[in-house]
Amino acid sequence: MTNMIVKLICAIICSLTLMHSMKIMLDKEYDLPMKKKIVLLILLTVITYFSYSEQYSGESNILKAVFYIIVFRIIFKENIYKTSISLLVTLALIASVDLAWSIFFINFTGAAQARGIWYYILLCNIVICTITILIINIKPLKKWITSFVSNLNERSKFSTFFLFALSVIVIFYAFYNISINYHWSEQYFINALIIVTYVVIILIFFKERNDYSNLMIQYDCLFDYFKELEDSIDEISLNNHECKNQLAVLKGYIEMNKKKEALKYINDLNSTLNAEDQMVTANLKNIPKGGIKGLLYYKIITAKNKKVSVVLDISDHVTKYLKRLTYEENKILSKVLGVYIDNAIEAVLETRKKVLTIEIYNIDNDINIAISNKFKNNNVEIGKISQKGYTTKGSGHGKGLYLINKIVKREKWFTTERRIIDNCYIQKITIISKKNY
């Protein structure tokens, strides 16, 4: 009876450890009602409890892994591929800790005692789960693993899954051999060496994949830079064309000796430009000097040059909150805001009434920035908008929001959300009060 209770406690501890590890790997929250969470935790506990045996079994562990994947797929609502890889990495980490603990614990007892006597079972499970949680919460490792999982893509799906699945299967069978030879022997060292080798292979694969992903991010940034450069050249060409037209008008007045008309035309041009500049400056008076104010000024002028009307609604109370942002936070927010406004301008250009609305206001101590625009409905799938390559604009697009989504996942001081209401696309940024993060 005691053994059964202890095994149940250990199954709960292991299930909670797995859930916590998967949450970190997938960088997701438990977005489920409490009742459903409890039911799924009970299901994980049942799977763990009934798969436990005094001797490791490769077949039962593989079957258990399949059930785990299904349950975690439901909990985190992630695709099977990322869920599978995250679970395989978690199991490899637990196996490494288990091996390290067994090397120490083998000096005090045998396999039958370690996996048969209740206080040894409880001690081993508590130690292994605690060390696993401590390791996975090491910041550099946590960031490294999260980055690897978030950068997984469909192109290398088969090779990645095959490597991890093969590694975990080999590790399971190596542990089976250790469990039946749980004493210092040549057999023990060979199997321990196999486990270490495959863990090292996984780590090397991690590094190679992360290096490749970072290279792709740099390529995407370079692509975006050239796109912005191309847009700037187009804008300069348009301005040059407009200046030539204005000079042609002035030349005509001068050639016809109509100096008064020429002066009036020049004054009208100056008045128009000054009026537009003053209007934009007045609307941005509540934004403190810095990158965000400069960005908004530039984007508003760009929108106006493209015949897009920009409606600004900035609360008088946001100044003090925006002043609290650090230089680095200003830089990140400007990058995110720039991409969102660019996308809004592009979308609104396809509509009849070209109006873009930017609202900045505070609720309690949180700052909210909402960008809304009408758009031409091209069967937009809002759930796929931040996925790499997804676009409604055609080939060569879809990178900007994907890169921004990676920034959003990494940073915890602001959140984003999007929704569509009556054919109006609303993108919202919430800067969380420093008290809350």
Side-chain angles (χ1 to χ4, degrees):
M1 184 65 181
T2 305
N3 275 7
M4 285 178 64
I5 294 169
V6 168
K7 285 177 185 178
L8 181 60
I9 293 168
C10 291
I12 294 169
I13 293 170
C14 290
S15 299
L16 289 169
T17 303
L18 279 170
M19 283 183 75
H20 178 74
S21 301
M22 290 291 288
K23 175 179 174 288
I24 288 174
M25 296 241 183
L26 294 168
D27 195 21
K28 292 211 170 183
E29 298 299 327
Y30 306 120
D31 190 19
L32 289 170
M34 183 56 69
K35 285 183 180 178
K36 199 167 184 180
K37 284 183 197 173
I38 293 168
V39 169
L40 289 169
L41 177 60
I42 291 169
L43 183 57
L44 281 173
T45 303
V46 169
I47 294 167
T48 308
Y49 179 86
F50 284 105
S51 63
Y52 183 89
S53 61
E54 287 190 18
Q55 276 194 347
Y56 282 98
S57 168
E59 292 83 358
S60 68
N61 278 320
I62 292 167
L63 186 62
K64 178 172 67 175
V66 172
F67 284 123
Y68 281 156
I69 289 168
I70 295 167
V71 175
F72 286 125
R73 168 74 178 83
I74 297 167
I75 293 173
F76 295 107
K77 298 177 184 176
E78 187 58 86
N79 62 55
I80 290 289
Y81 173 48
K82 283 191 177 181
T83 305
S84 302
I85 296 299
S86 300
L87 179 67
L88 293 174
V89 172
T90 303
L91 293 175
L93 175 61
I94 293 171
S96 304
V97 176
D98 198 349
L99 176 65
W101 176 249
S102 76
I103 291 171
F104 168 77
F105 204 62
I106 197 174
N107 296 293
F108 304 98
T109 186
Q113 289 78 21
R115 296 180 65 83
I117 299 174
W118 71 268
Y119 47 86
Y120 281 151
I121 296 172
L122 188 60
L123 174 66
C124 289
N125 278 275
I126 289 172
V127 169
I128 290 166
C129 289
T130 303
I131 294 172
T132 300
I133 289 171
L134 290 173
I135 289 173
I136 207 164
N137 278 288
I138 296 171
K139 282 191 176 179
L141 181 64
K142 181 179 176 180
K143 188 176 179 181
W144 195 36
I145 292 173
T146 304
S147 173
F148 169 77
V149 173
S150 68
N151 289 330
L152 288 171
N153 56 64
E154 296 294 317
R155 284 177 294 181
S156 55
K157 182 164 68 173
F158 178 77
S159 59
T160 304
F161 182 79
F162 178 78
L163 174 67
F164 278 88
L166 177 64
S167 299
V168 171
I169 289 169
V170 170
I171 288 169
F172 281 158
Y173 277 99
F175 264 108
Y176 168 74
N177 289 330
I178 284 175
S179 71
I180 59 176
N181 295 281
Y182 198 72
H183 56 273
W184 295 117
S185 64
E186 185 180 343
Q187 193 82 353
Y188 180 92
F189 281 113
I190 289 171
N191 285 286
L193 184 62
I194 289 170
I195 293 169
V196 171
T197 302
Y198 273 90
V199 169
V200 169
I201 289 170
I202 289 172
L203 291 173
I204 292 170
F205 187 80
F206 262 169
K207 185 180 182 304
E208 293 295 325
R209 279 290 168 199
N210 271 338
D211 289 346
Y212 173 76
S213 295
N214 289 333
L215 188 64
M216 290 304 296
I217 289 168
Q218 290 173 14
Y219 166 78
D220 288 338
C221 288
L222 187 64
F223 179 89
D224 288 341
Y225 168 76
F226 279 112
K227 184 179 179 299
E228 286 181 14
L229 184 63
E230 191 179 66
D231 291 342
S232 298
I233 291 168
D234 288 343
E235 194 174 329
I236 291 167
S237 298
L238 186 65
N239 289 336
N240 285 341
H241 182 71
E242 193 173 342
C243 285
K244 284 178 182 178
N245 288 339
Q246 291 165 353
L247 288 171
V249 172
L250 285 171
K251 184 184 176 187
Y253 281 135
I254 292 167
E255 285 175 348
M256 291 185 289
N257 204 25
K258 293 183 177 181
K259 292 181 181 179
K260 286 184 180 179
E261 285 83 352
L263 285 170
K264 185 178 181 301
Y265 185 74
I266 291 169
N267 288 332
D268 288 344
L269 282 175
N270 282 333
S271 297
T272 303
L273 291 172
N274 287 336
E276 285 185 0
D277 190 62
Q278 286 170 11
M279 184 183 69
V280 173
T281 304
N283 284 328
L284 295 175
K285 68 180 180 180
N286 293 322
I287 306 292
K289 290 179 181 178
I292 296 171
K293 188 168 191 169
L295 173 88
L296 287 172
Y297 183 89
Y298 172 73
K299 294 299 180 186
I300 291 166
I301 296 298
T302 301
K304 286 186 178 296
N305 288 338
K306 294 181 177 180
K307 312 300 181 190
V308 174
S309 298
V310 179
V311 178
L312 276 175
D313 184 6
I314 301 173
S315 168
D316 296 335
H317 305 291
V318 299
T319 309
K320 65 177 180 180
Y321 298 110
L322 287 172
K323 279 182 177 177
R324 294 174 187 170
L325 295 176
T326 64
Y327 169 78
E328 192 62 31
E329 288 170 346
N330 261 288
K331 191 169 76 171
I332 291 168
L333 185 60
S334 296
K335 186 183 291 184
V336 174
L337 200 54
V339 170
Y340 287 161
I341 294 174
D342 283 343
N343 283 355
I345 292 170
E346 284 186 39
V348 86
L349 284 173
E350 298 180 358
T351 63
R352 186 176 58 83
K353 193 176 180 181
K354 298 174 175 55
V355 180
L356 168 65
T357 303
I358 301 173
E359 300 169 89
I360 305 177
Y361 56 94
N362 65 293
I363 297 177
D364 296 327
N365 292 324
D366 296 344
I367 306 167
N368 295 278
I369 303 172
I371 304 158
S372 53
N373 59 276
K374 293 285 185 181
F375 68 101
K376 188 178 178 181
N377 195 338
N378 294 323
N379 298 319
V380 176
E381 296 181 64
I382 198 164
K384 291 185 177 181
I385 283 175
S386 294
Q387 292 181 13
K388 188 172 184 179
Y390 177 78
T391 180
T392 59
K393 304 173 193 171
S395 178
H397 295 272
K399 294 183 176 67
L401 286 174
Y402 169 72
L403 292 172
I404 293 305
N405 190 48
K406 290 172 73 64
I407 294 172
V408 173
K409 281 187 174 182
R410 187 179 70 235
E411 304 296 331
K412 302 300 179 187
W413 54 272
F414 75 97
T415 60
T416 65
E417 61 177 296
R418 62 183 68 90
R419 61 181 65 181
I420 296 172
I421 301 173
D422 295 332
N423 213 37
C424 183
Y425 184 89
I426 302 168
Q427 178 71 60
K428 184 179 172 185
I429 303 169
T430 301
I431 302 165
I432 303 165
S433 166
K434 292 186 187 292
K435 294 178 182 177
N436 299 326
Y437 72 91

